[in-house]
Amino acid sequence: MRRAHTVSQVRDAEADLMRTLPEGTLMQRAASGLAHAVLDLLGGGYGHRVLLLVGSGDNGGDALYAGCALLRRGARVEALLLGSNHHEEGLVALRAAGGGVVDDVADAHRPDVVVDGIVGIGGRGGLRPAAVAALDAVAGVPVVAVDVPSGVGVDTGELEGPHVVADLTVTFGTHKVAHLVGPAAGACGVVHLVELGLDLPTAAVEALQAADVAALVPRPAPDDHKYSRGVVGVRAGSDTYPGAALLCVAGAGSGLVGMVRYVGSAADQVRASHPEVVGDGRVQAWVVGPGGGDEAEVQLAAALADGVPVLVDADGLAHVRPGQAAVLTPHAGELARMLGIDRETVEARPLAHARLAAERYDAVLLLKGRHTLVVAPDGRTRVTTTGLPWLATAGAGDVLSGLIGALLAAGLAPWDAASVGSWLHGAAATLASGGGPLVAGDVAAALPAVVRSLR
Protein backbone atom coordinates (compact mmCIF):
# COMPACT_ATOMS: atom_id res chain seq x y z
CA MET A 1 0.00 0.00 0.00
CA ARG A 2 1.24 3.46 -0.85
CA ARG A 3 0.18 5.77 1.96
CA ALA A 4 0.02 9.57 2.02
CA HIS A 5 -0.11 11.61 5.21
CA THR A 6 -0.99 15.18 6.08
CA VAL A 7 1.47 17.87 7.09
CA SER A 8 0.44 17.72 10.75
CA GLN A 9 0.82 13.93 10.83
CA VAL A 10 4.31 14.15 9.34
CA ARG A 11 5.43 16.93 11.65
CA ASP A 12 4.23 15.09 14.75
CA ALA A 13 6.02 11.91 13.65
CA GLU A 14 9.22 13.82 12.88
CA ALA A 15 9.11 15.53 16.27
CA ASP A 16 8.75 12.17 18.02
CA LEU A 17 11.70 10.72 16.10
CA MET A 18 13.94 13.76 16.56
CA ARG A 19 13.66 13.40 20.32
CA THR A 20 15.56 10.11 19.99
CA LEU A 21 18.26 11.29 17.54
CA PRO A 22 21.17 13.73 17.61
CA GLU A 23 20.24 17.20 16.38
CA GLY A 24 20.27 17.52 12.59
CA THR A 25 20.18 13.78 11.88
CA LEU A 26 16.86 13.83 10.01
CA MET A 27 17.93 16.72 7.78
CA GLN A 28 21.17 14.94 6.92
CA ARG A 29 19.24 11.77 6.02
CA ALA A 30 16.91 13.78 3.81
CA ALA A 31 19.74 15.68 2.16
CA SER A 32 21.66 12.49 1.46
CA GLY A 33 18.63 10.90 -0.19
CA LEU A 34 18.01 14.07 -2.21
CA ALA A 35 21.62 14.22 -3.40
CA HIS A 36 21.60 10.58 -4.51
CA ALA A 37 18.37 11.13 -6.45
CA VAL A 38 19.90 14.14 -8.25
CA LEU A 39 23.01 12.13 -9.06
CA ASP A 40 20.86 9.33 -10.50
CA LEU A 41 19.00 11.84 -12.65
CA LEU A 42 22.24 13.41 -13.94
CA GLY A 43 24.05 10.12 -14.35
CA GLY A 44 26.79 11.27 -11.97
CA GLY A 45 28.07 14.47 -10.48
CA TYR A 46 31.39 15.37 -12.07
CA GLY A 47 31.17 18.32 -14.43
CA HIS A 48 27.45 18.89 -13.97
CA ARG A 49 26.03 22.24 -12.90
CA VAL A 50 23.34 22.43 -10.24
CA LEU A 51 21.32 25.49 -9.25
CA LEU A 52 19.64 25.43 -5.84
CA LEU A 53 16.58 27.66 -5.39
CA VAL A 54 16.63 28.09 -1.63
CA GLY A 55 13.78 29.48 0.41
CA SER A 56 13.21 29.73 4.13
CA GLY A 57 12.74 26.69 6.30
CA ASP A 58 13.87 23.11 6.32
CA ASN A 59 13.39 22.43 2.61
CA GLY A 60 15.96 25.09 1.89
CA GLY A 61 18.25 23.41 4.42
CA ASP A 62 17.75 20.03 2.73
CA ALA A 63 18.72 21.61 -0.59
CA LEU A 64 21.82 23.28 0.83
CA TYR A 65 23.16 20.14 2.49
CA ALA A 66 22.37 18.13 -0.64
CA GLY A 67 24.42 20.73 -2.51
CA CYS A 68 27.37 19.95 -0.23
CA ALA A 69 27.12 16.25 -1.12
CA LEU A 70 26.92 17.08 -4.82
CA LEU A 71 30.02 19.27 -4.56
CA ARG A 72 31.91 16.33 -3.09
CA ARG A 73 30.91 14.31 -6.17
CA GLY A 74 32.39 16.88 -8.55
CA ALA A 75 29.34 18.96 -9.40
CA ARG A 76 29.40 22.73 -9.60
CA VAL A 77 26.72 24.03 -7.24
CA GLU A 78 25.30 27.53 -6.93
CA ALA A 79 22.46 28.74 -4.73
CA LEU A 80 19.96 31.52 -5.30
CA LEU A 81 18.47 32.67 -2.00
CA LEU A 82 14.77 33.53 -2.08
CA GLY A 83 12.91 35.07 0.82
CA SER A 84 14.53 35.49 4.23
CA ASN A 85 15.57 33.42 7.26
CA HIS A 86 17.58 30.88 5.32
CA HIS A 87 19.08 27.85 7.01
CA GLU A 88 22.31 29.45 8.21
CA GLU A 89 24.18 26.25 9.07
CA GLY A 90 23.40 24.81 5.65
CA LEU A 91 24.49 28.01 3.93
CA VAL A 92 27.81 28.06 5.84
CA ALA A 93 28.37 24.40 4.95
CA LEU A 94 27.69 25.02 1.25
CA ARG A 95 30.17 27.88 1.08
CA ALA A 96 32.76 25.89 3.01
CA ALA A 97 32.40 23.01 0.54
CA GLY A 98 33.07 25.33 -2.40
CA GLY A 99 29.55 26.22 -3.45
CA GLY A 100 28.60 29.68 -4.63
CA VAL A 101 25.73 32.03 -3.86
CA VAL A 102 24.26 34.22 -6.62
CA ASP A 103 21.96 37.23 -6.42
CA ASP A 104 20.15 36.50 -9.66
CA VAL A 105 19.68 33.56 -12.01
CA ALA A 106 21.45 35.61 -14.67
CA ASP A 107 24.59 35.52 -12.52
CA ALA A 108 24.61 31.71 -12.41
CA HIS A 109 25.96 29.31 -14.99
CA ARG A 110 23.24 27.62 -17.06
CA PRO A 111 22.40 24.60 -14.87
CA ASP A 112 21.88 20.99 -15.88
CA VAL A 113 19.32 20.63 -13.11
CA VAL A 114 17.43 22.94 -10.75
CA VAL A 115 16.65 21.89 -7.19
CA ASP A 116 13.42 23.41 -5.88
CA GLY A 117 13.89 24.11 -2.18
CA ILE A 118 11.74 27.24 -2.24
CA VAL A 119 8.75 26.37 -0.05
CA GLY A 120 8.35 23.51 2.40
CA ILE A 121 5.30 21.41 3.21
CA GLY A 122 3.93 24.22 5.36
CA GLY A 123 3.78 26.67 2.45
CA ARG A 124 0.47 28.21 1.41
CA GLY A 125 -1.02 29.99 -1.57
CA GLY A 126 1.35 29.65 -4.50
CA LEU A 127 4.72 31.27 -5.16
CA ARG A 128 5.90 34.84 -4.74
CA PRO A 129 6.94 36.88 -7.81
CA ALA A 130 10.69 36.49 -7.21
CA ALA A 131 10.39 32.70 -7.22
CA VAL A 132 8.23 32.76 -10.35
CA ALA A 133 10.80 34.95 -12.12
CA ALA A 134 13.63 32.61 -11.14
CA LEU A 135 11.76 29.57 -12.46
CA ASP A 136 10.92 31.39 -15.70
CA ALA A 137 14.61 32.16 -16.18
CA VAL A 138 15.52 28.44 -16.12
CA ALA A 139 12.55 27.20 -18.15
CA GLY A 140 13.40 23.96 -19.93
CA VAL A 141 15.89 22.78 -17.30
CA PRO A 142 14.86 19.62 -15.38
CA VAL A 143 13.54 20.42 -11.91
CA VAL A 144 13.89 18.26 -8.80
CA ALA A 145 11.43 19.28 -6.08
CA VAL A 146 12.33 18.86 -2.42
CA ASP A 147 9.45 17.04 -0.66
CA VAL A 148 6.70 18.64 -2.80
CA PRO A 149 6.73 21.06 -5.74
CA SER A 150 6.69 24.51 -4.19
CA GLY A 151 3.34 26.26 -4.31
CA VAL A 152 1.00 23.23 -4.43
CA GLY A 153 -1.63 22.47 -1.80
CA VAL A 154 0.13 19.74 0.17
CA ASP A 155 -2.89 18.43 2.12
CA THR A 156 -5.51 19.09 -0.55
CA GLY A 157 -3.89 18.31 -3.90
CA GLU A 158 -5.12 21.70 -5.10
CA LEU A 159 -3.24 24.33 -7.09
CA GLU A 160 -3.69 27.69 -5.44
CA GLY A 161 -1.54 29.88 -7.68
CA PRO A 162 1.87 29.81 -9.41
CA HIS A 163 3.73 26.59 -8.60
CA VAL A 164 6.68 24.45 -9.57
CA VAL A 165 6.19 21.73 -12.16
CA ALA A 166 8.80 19.11 -11.29
CA ASP A 167 10.32 16.33 -13.34
CA LEU A 168 11.22 14.50 -10.12
CA THR A 169 9.98 14.98 -6.58
CA VAL A 170 12.05 13.57 -3.72
CA THR A 171 9.92 13.24 -0.62
CA PHE A 172 10.82 12.13 2.89
CA GLY A 173 9.31 9.75 5.41
CA THR A 174 6.02 9.22 3.60
CA HIS A 175 4.09 10.39 0.58
CA LYS A 176 2.03 13.53 0.99
CA VAL A 177 -1.54 13.93 -0.27
CA ALA A 178 -0.39 16.17 -3.14
CA HIS A 179 1.73 13.34 -4.55
CA LEU A 180 -1.37 11.22 -5.18
CA VAL A 181 -4.29 13.62 -5.59
CA GLY A 182 -4.84 15.81 -8.62
CA PRO A 183 -4.42 18.35 -9.90
CA ALA A 184 -1.26 18.77 -7.81
CA ALA A 185 -0.13 15.20 -8.52
CA GLY A 186 0.36 16.23 -12.13
CA ALA A 187 3.01 18.75 -11.02
CA CYS A 188 5.11 16.18 -9.15
CA GLY A 189 6.61 14.19 -12.01
CA VAL A 190 8.18 10.95 -10.81
CA VAL A 191 7.98 10.68 -7.01
CA HIS A 192 10.88 9.10 -5.11
CA LEU A 193 10.45 8.29 -1.42
CA VAL A 194 13.37 8.51 1.00
CA GLU A 195 12.61 6.51 4.14
CA LEU A 196 13.28 8.21 7.47
CA GLY A 197 11.91 5.62 9.88
CA LEU A 198 8.87 7.63 10.98
CA ASP A 199 6.17 6.06 13.14
CA LEU A 200 3.08 7.28 11.33
CA PRO A 201 -0.67 7.06 12.11
CA THR A 202 -3.42 5.97 9.73
CA ALA A 203 -2.91 7.59 6.36
CA ALA A 204 -5.20 10.32 5.05
CA VAL A 205 -5.05 8.87 1.54
CA GLU A 206 -3.80 5.55 0.22
CA ALA A 207 -3.20 3.89 -3.13
CA LEU A 208 -3.51 0.15 -3.69
CA GLN A 209 -0.52 -1.67 -5.15
CA ALA A 210 -0.51 -4.98 -7.02
CA ALA A 211 0.00 -7.05 -3.86
CA ASP A 212 -2.96 -5.34 -2.17
CA VAL A 213 -5.19 -6.02 -5.16
CA ALA A 214 -4.05 -9.65 -5.32
CA ALA A 215 -5.10 -10.10 -1.69
CA LEU A 216 -8.55 -8.60 -2.31
CA VAL A 217 -9.53 -10.08 -5.67
CA PRO A 218 -12.11 -12.84 -5.09
CA ARG A 219 -10.99 -16.29 -6.21
CA PRO A 220 -13.22 -19.37 -6.39
CA ALA A 221 -12.85 -22.07 -3.78
CA PRO A 222 -12.69 -25.72 -4.89
CA ASP A 223 -16.32 -26.32 -3.94
CA ASP A 224 -17.74 -23.11 -5.41
CA HIS A 225 -20.41 -23.12 -8.11
CA LYS A 226 -21.73 -20.39 -10.37
CA TYR A 227 -24.26 -19.14 -7.83
CA SER A 228 -21.97 -19.17 -4.81
CA ARG A 229 -19.34 -17.18 -6.72
CA GLY A 230 -21.87 -14.35 -7.11
CA VAL A 231 -24.43 -13.20 -9.66
CA VAL A 232 -24.37 -9.63 -10.92
CA GLY A 233 -27.28 -7.98 -12.69
CA VAL A 234 -26.96 -5.24 -15.30
CA ARG A 235 -29.76 -2.80 -16.11
CA ALA A 236 -28.11 -0.57 -18.69
CA GLY A 237 -28.42 0.61 -22.25
CA SER A 238 -31.43 1.84 -24.17
CA ASP A 239 -32.73 2.03 -27.71
CA THR A 240 -30.53 5.10 -28.15
CA TYR A 241 -27.40 3.67 -26.50
CA PRO A 242 -27.36 -0.14 -26.83
CA GLY A 243 -23.55 -0.16 -26.93
CA ALA A 244 -23.38 0.93 -23.28
CA ALA A 245 -25.18 -2.28 -22.32
CA LEU A 246 -22.70 -4.39 -24.30
CA LEU A 247 -19.68 -2.73 -22.69
CA CYS A 248 -21.12 -2.82 -19.18
CA VAL A 249 -21.87 -6.53 -19.57
CA ALA A 250 -18.35 -7.08 -20.93
CA GLY A 251 -16.90 -5.54 -17.77
CA ALA A 252 -19.24 -7.53 -15.54
CA GLY A 253 -18.51 -10.76 -17.42
CA SER A 254 -14.74 -10.68 -17.04
CA GLY A 255 -14.77 -13.90 -15.03
CA LEU A 256 -14.85 -12.58 -11.48
CA VAL A 257 -18.39 -13.82 -10.80
CA GLY A 258 -20.26 -17.00 -11.69
CA MET A 259 -23.08 -15.40 -13.67
CA VAL A 260 -24.20 -12.15 -15.32
CA ARG A 261 -27.88 -11.31 -15.78
CA TYR A 262 -29.03 -8.60 -18.15
CA VAL A 263 -32.38 -6.81 -18.15
CA GLY A 264 -33.05 -4.06 -20.66
CA SER A 265 -33.96 -3.04 -24.17
CA ALA A 266 -30.62 -4.21 -25.61
CA ALA A 267 -31.20 -7.86 -24.65
CA ASP A 268 -30.98 -9.18 -28.20
CA GLN A 269 -27.65 -7.44 -28.86
CA VAL A 270 -26.29 -8.58 -25.50
CA ARG A 271 -27.21 -12.22 -26.10
CA ALA A 272 -25.71 -12.13 -29.57
CA SER A 273 -22.36 -10.87 -28.24
CA HIS A 274 -22.41 -12.63 -24.84
CA PRO A 275 -24.30 -15.95 -25.10
CA GLU A 276 -23.36 -16.83 -21.51
CA VAL A 277 -25.45 -13.92 -20.14
CA VAL A 278 -28.93 -14.82 -18.86
CA GLY A 279 -32.09 -12.87 -18.08
CA ASP A 280 -33.80 -11.58 -14.96
CA GLY A 281 -33.53 -13.39 -11.64
CA ARG A 282 -31.86 -13.25 -8.23
CA VAL A 283 -28.62 -11.29 -8.00
CA GLN A 284 -26.19 -10.16 -5.32
CA ALA A 285 -25.66 -6.71 -6.88
CA TRP A 286 -27.04 -4.52 -9.67
CA VAL A 287 -25.34 -2.09 -12.06
CA VAL A 288 -27.63 0.69 -13.27
CA GLY A 289 -27.35 3.71 -15.52
CA PRO A 290 -24.79 3.38 -18.34
CA GLY A 291 -26.55 4.46 -21.53
CA GLY A 292 -29.90 4.31 -19.75
CA GLY A 293 -31.24 7.54 -21.19
CA ASP A 294 -34.95 7.97 -20.50
CA GLU A 295 -35.11 4.41 -19.16
CA ALA A 296 -32.62 5.05 -16.32
CA GLU A 297 -35.17 6.10 -13.70
CA VAL A 298 -37.23 2.95 -14.17
CA GLN A 299 -34.06 0.80 -14.24
CA LEU A 300 -32.92 2.29 -10.94
CA ALA A 301 -36.27 1.80 -9.20
CA ALA A 302 -36.38 -1.86 -10.26
CA ALA A 303 -32.85 -2.50 -9.03
CA LEU A 304 -33.41 -0.78 -5.69
CA ALA A 305 -36.51 -2.91 -5.09
CA ASP A 306 -34.31 -6.02 -4.77
CA GLY A 307 -32.58 -4.75 -1.64
CA VAL A 308 -29.06 -5.66 -2.83
CA PRO A 309 -26.07 -3.33 -3.33
CA VAL A 310 -26.54 -1.11 -6.35
CA LEU A 311 -23.88 0.71 -8.38
CA VAL A 312 -25.23 3.79 -10.14
CA ASP A 313 -23.46 5.42 -13.08
CA ALA A 314 -24.11 7.87 -15.91
CA ASP A 315 -27.83 8.54 -16.56
CA GLY A 316 -28.81 6.85 -13.31
CA LEU A 317 -27.00 9.50 -11.26
CA ALA A 318 -29.69 12.07 -12.01
CA HIS A 319 -32.25 9.93 -10.15
CA VAL A 320 -30.39 8.50 -7.17
CA ARG A 321 -31.09 9.81 -3.67
CA PRO A 322 -28.98 9.75 -0.50
CA GLY A 323 -28.70 6.33 1.10
CA GLN A 324 -29.96 4.38 -1.92
CA ALA A 325 -26.75 3.28 -3.64
CA ALA A 326 -23.66 1.38 -2.55
CA VAL A 327 -21.37 2.97 -5.17
CA LEU A 328 -21.71 6.07 -7.35
CA THR A 329 -19.31 6.52 -10.27
CA PRO A 330 -19.54 10.05 -11.76
CA HIS A 331 -17.03 11.95 -13.84
CA ALA A 332 -16.39 15.59 -12.94
CA GLY A 333 -19.30 16.95 -14.97
CA GLU A 334 -21.76 14.49 -13.44
CA LEU A 335 -20.49 15.21 -9.93
CA ALA A 336 -20.90 18.92 -10.56
CA ARG A 337 -24.56 18.38 -11.47
CA MET A 338 -25.08 16.22 -8.38
CA LEU A 339 -23.69 19.00 -6.16
CA GLY A 340 -25.21 21.93 -8.05
CA ILE A 341 -21.88 23.54 -8.95
CA ASP A 342 -19.85 23.96 -12.12
CA ARG A 343 -17.40 21.40 -13.51
CA GLU A 344 -14.38 23.70 -13.19
CA THR A 345 -14.96 23.94 -9.44
CA VAL A 346 -14.95 20.15 -9.10
CA GLU A 347 -11.80 19.84 -11.22
CA ALA A 348 -10.00 22.44 -9.11
CA ARG A 349 -10.87 20.69 -5.82
CA PRO A 350 -11.65 17.05 -6.65
CA LEU A 351 -10.80 15.57 -3.26
CA ALA A 352 -12.90 18.06 -1.32
CA HIS A 353 -15.92 17.59 -3.58
CA ALA A 354 -15.65 13.80 -3.75
CA ARG A 355 -15.63 13.68 0.05
CA LEU A 356 -18.57 16.08 0.22
CA ALA A 357 -20.62 13.97 -2.20
CA ALA A 358 -19.75 10.67 -0.48
CA GLU A 359 -20.99 12.07 2.82
CA ARG A 360 -24.06 13.74 1.30
CA TYR A 361 -25.17 10.66 -0.65
CA ASP A 362 -24.05 8.18 2.05
CA ALA A 363 -22.34 6.06 -0.60
CA VAL A 364 -18.89 5.20 -1.85
CA LEU A 365 -18.09 7.86 -4.43
CA LEU A 366 -15.73 7.07 -7.31
CA LEU A 367 -14.70 10.25 -9.11
CA LYS A 368 -13.16 9.39 -12.46
CA GLY A 369 -10.08 11.27 -13.55
CA ARG A 370 -6.36 11.08 -14.20
CA HIS A 371 -5.99 9.84 -10.64
CA THR A 372 -9.41 8.38 -9.88
CA LEU A 373 -10.60 8.94 -6.30
CA VAL A 374 -12.58 6.40 -4.31
CA VAL A 375 -14.06 7.93 -1.16
CA ALA A 376 -16.11 6.30 1.58
CA PRO A 377 -18.86 8.24 3.41
CA ASP A 378 -16.56 8.60 6.43
CA GLY A 379 -13.87 10.27 4.28
CA ARG A 380 -11.49 7.34 3.81
CA THR A 381 -9.86 7.84 0.44
CA ARG A 382 -8.04 5.70 -2.08
CA VAL A 383 -6.41 6.93 -5.27
CA THR A 384 -5.97 4.86 -8.42
CA THR A 385 -2.55 5.32 -9.97
CA THR A 386 -2.84 2.68 -12.70
CA GLY A 387 -3.99 3.58 -16.19
CA LEU A 388 -2.77 5.91 -18.92
CA PRO A 389 -4.14 8.84 -20.98
CA TRP A 390 -5.37 6.53 -23.77
CA LEU A 391 -8.01 5.30 -21.30
CA ALA A 392 -9.95 8.54 -21.87
CA THR A 393 -12.16 6.90 -24.48
CA ALA A 394 -15.90 6.47 -24.95
CA GLY A 395 -17.37 3.49 -23.13
CA ALA A 396 -14.47 2.92 -20.75
CA GLY A 397 -16.64 4.01 -17.83
CA ASP A 398 -19.30 1.47 -18.81
CA VAL A 399 -16.72 -1.31 -18.57
CA LEU A 400 -15.61 0.00 -15.18
CA SER A 401 -19.17 0.02 -13.83
CA GLY A 402 -19.75 -3.58 -14.85
CA LEU A 403 -16.45 -4.66 -13.34
CA ILE A 404 -17.13 -3.00 -9.98
CA GLY A 405 -20.63 -4.47 -9.96
CA ALA A 406 -19.15 -7.93 -10.40
CA LEU A 407 -16.83 -7.37 -7.45
CA LEU A 408 -19.79 -6.25 -5.32
CA ALA A 409 -21.68 -9.40 -6.28
CA ALA A 410 -18.61 -11.50 -5.42
CA GLY A 411 -18.75 -10.19 -1.88
CA LEU A 412 -16.33 -7.26 -1.67
CA ALA A 413 -17.36 -4.30 0.45
CA PRO A 414 -18.27 -1.24 -1.66
CA TRP A 415 -15.05 0.68 -0.89
CA ASP A 416 -12.88 -2.33 -1.74
CA ALA A 417 -14.97 -3.21 -4.80
CA ALA A 418 -14.67 0.31 -6.22
CA SER A 419 -10.96 0.73 -5.53
CA VAL A 420 -9.99 -2.79 -6.70
CA GLY A 421 -12.16 -2.41 -9.80
CA SER A 422 -10.60 0.94 -10.62
CA TRP A 423 -7.07 -0.48 -10.20
CA LEU A 424 -7.83 -3.49 -12.42
CA HIS A 425 -9.47 -1.26 -15.02
CA GLY A 426 -6.40 0.99 -15.23
CA ALA A 427 -4.01 -1.95 -15.33
CA ALA A 428 -6.05 -3.63 -18.08
CA ALA A 429 -5.99 -0.43 -20.13
CA THR A 430 -2.21 -0.23 -19.80
CA LEU A 431 -1.84 -3.84 -20.87
CA ALA A 432 -4.26 -3.50 -23.80
CA SER A 433 -2.78 -0.22 -24.96
CA GLY A 434 0.86 -1.21 -25.15
CA GLY A 435 1.51 2.53 -25.17
CA GLY A 436 -0.88 3.27 -28.03
CA PRO A 437 -4.58 3.85 -28.74
CA LEU A 438 -7.29 1.53 -27.46
CA VAL A 439 -11.07 1.30 -27.30
CA ALA A 440 -13.24 0.35 -24.36
CA GLY A 441 -13.76 -3.22 -25.51
CA ASP A 442 -10.00 -3.78 -25.42
CA VAL A 443 -10.01 -2.93 -21.70
CA ALA A 444 -12.68 -5.53 -20.94
CA ALA A 445 -10.84 -8.18 -22.97
CA ALA A 446 -7.60 -7.58 -21.06
CA LEU A 447 -9.11 -7.93 -17.57
CA PRO A 448 -8.65 -11.72 -17.23
CA ALA A 449 -4.97 -11.44 -18.13
CA VAL A 450 -4.43 -8.76 -15.49
CA VAL A 451 -6.09 -10.93 -12.82
CA ARG A 452 -3.96 -13.90 -13.88
CA SER A 453 -0.82 -11.81 -13.50
CA LEU A 454 -1.54 -11.01 -9.84
CA ARG A 455 0.26 -13.10 -7.28
Side-chain angles (χ1 to χ4, degrees), residues 438-454:
L438 78 164
V439 295
D442 298 336
V443 180
L447 285 167
V450 171
V451 175
R452 283 196 300 271
S453 73
L454 294 171

Side-chain angles (χ1 to χ4, degrees), residues 369-370 372 384-391 396 399-400 403 418-434 438 443-444 446-447 450:
R370 178 183 178 181
T372 290
T384 303
T385 56
T386 57
L388 73 174
W390 292 111
L391 185 52
V399 173
L400 175 62
L403 171 59
S419 49
V420 169
S422 181
W423 191 98
L424 291 172
H425 186 253
T430 301
L431 177 63
S433 166
L438 78 164
V443 180
L447 285 167
V450 171

Side-chain angles (χ1 to χ4, degrees), residues 11 56 80 121 125 195 210 213 226 234 244 278 311 324 377 415 450:
R11 285 181 166 167
S56 306
L80 173 64
I121 59 175
E195 293 288 355
V213 175
K226 62 187 177 183
V234 175
V278 300
L311 179 147
Q324 290 184 326
W415 193 48
V450 171

Side-chain angles (χ1 to χ4, degrees), residues 27-28 30-32 34-35 50-72 77-82 84-102 115-118 146 172:
M27 181 169 286
Q28 292 298 333
S32 175
L34 174 61
V50 180
L51 176 63
L52 312 175
L53 301 182
V54 180
S56 306
D58 288 346
N59 274 34
D62 295 335
L64 290 167
Y65 281 118
C68 296
L70 294 169
L71 284 161
R72 291 193 292 270
V77 180
E78 295 173 306
L80 173 64
L81 306 182
L82 298 165
S84 57
N85 300 319
H86 304 104
H87 195 282
E88 288 301 326
E89 294 85 352
L91 192 55
V92 169
L94 182 77
R95 285 181 164 132
V101 176
V102 296
V115 176
D116 159 33
I118 304 169
V146 181
F172 312 113

Side-chain angles (χ1 to χ4, degrees), residues 156-158 176-186 205 350-351 371 373 381 383:
T156 64
E158 297 167 16
K176 316 308 185 288
V177 175
H179 298 139
L180 298 180
V181 173
V205 174
L351 178 59
H371 280 192
L373 299 174
T381 302
V383 180

Side-chain angles (χ1 to χ4, degrees), residues 203-259:
V205 174
E206 59 188 31
L208 296 180
Q209 303 300 293
D212 307 307
V213 175
L216 288 168
V217 166
R219 299 178 185 277
D223 56 349
D224 265 331
H225 50 78
K226 62 187 177 183
Y227 296 108
S228 64
R229 289 188 60 206
V231 181
V232 61
V234 175
R235 294 180 180 270
S238 59
D239 292 335
T240 306
Y241 303 109
L246 295 170
L247 290 168
C248 190
V249 166
S254 54
L256 293 171
V257 288
M259 182 183 293

